[in-house]
Amino acid sequence: MTGSAAGGLGAVERDAEGNGGMIAEPWTLKTVLLVESDPDVADALLEGLTDAGYGVVGPYRTAAAAEAGAALHLLDAAVIDVDHVAPSEGGGAALAERLAQRWGLRVILLTHDPDRARALAARAAGILVKPFSMLQLLDAVCRLPAPGTKG
């Protein structure tokens, strides 16, 4: 079996001669909620995710706006910069938990602090420590399990 490509394209089964082409995993386009307060970073994340074929809702700069966006759209995942969600709104980790519990979203958290990343590991489906590459983010999104599955 070949590997899977970014964007959730799935794997293709081939026999020993290279014939085949049966899709072993269904292709699923993920729609991602983006929460990032820095406009330049938000633009770069938005561009990278959409160029890779993901639907993106946002970017949102506050927890309240992100939750409103989640209520209005069918989403599969969320990417949240936890370093910039205001503590008065419960912070990024609390937002991640609300999105996961209320809408079943798989959440990838972004942070600059490795210690914070370790502390938040159980609260998210994935964590990236800044600086990270777009390829690392796309890999993390691609590896998210489908909604309704364990993982």
Side-chain angles (χ1 to χ4, degrees):
M1 220 188 276
T2 65
S4 61
L9 296 179
V12 177
E13 286 187 13
R14 300 203 183 275
D15 63 19
E17 290 81 39
N19 300 317
M22 183 179 89
I23 295 177
E25 301 170 26
W27 176 72
T28 321
L29 179 66
K30 290 181 172 88
T31 303
V32 179
L33 178 79
L34 179 59
V35 182
E36 172 58 65
S37 63
D38 182 308
D40 293 331
V41 174
D43 287 346
L45 296 175
L46 177 64
E47 181 179 353
L49 288 164
T50 56
D51 285 354
Y54 292 100
V56 179
V57 175
Y60 294 106
R61 291 183 170 81
T62 67
E67 288 187 82
L72 295 173
H73 299 277
L74 293 175
L75 302 166
D76 300 308
V79 174
I80 302 172
D81 183 342
V82 296
D83 297 334
H84 298 289
V85 175
S88 62
E89 294 187 284
L95 172 61
E97 286 182 349
R98 289 192 303 272
L99 292 173
Q101 290 173 357
R102 189 172 222 180
W103 289 284
L105 298 185
R106 306 302 178 142
V107 179
I108 297 171
L109 300 176
L110 313 177
T111 182
H112 72 279
D113 183 349
D115 292 330
R116 188 173 194 188
R118 283 188 288 281
L120 296 173
R123 299 172 116 176
I127 295 182
L128 292 175
V129 177
K130 301 174 196 174
F132 57 86
S133 70
M134 182 53 62
L135 185 57
Q136 288 172 305
L137 176 60
L138 293 174
D139 182 61
V141 173
C142 183
R143 291 176 182 274
L144 289 173
T149 62
K150 299 248 183 211

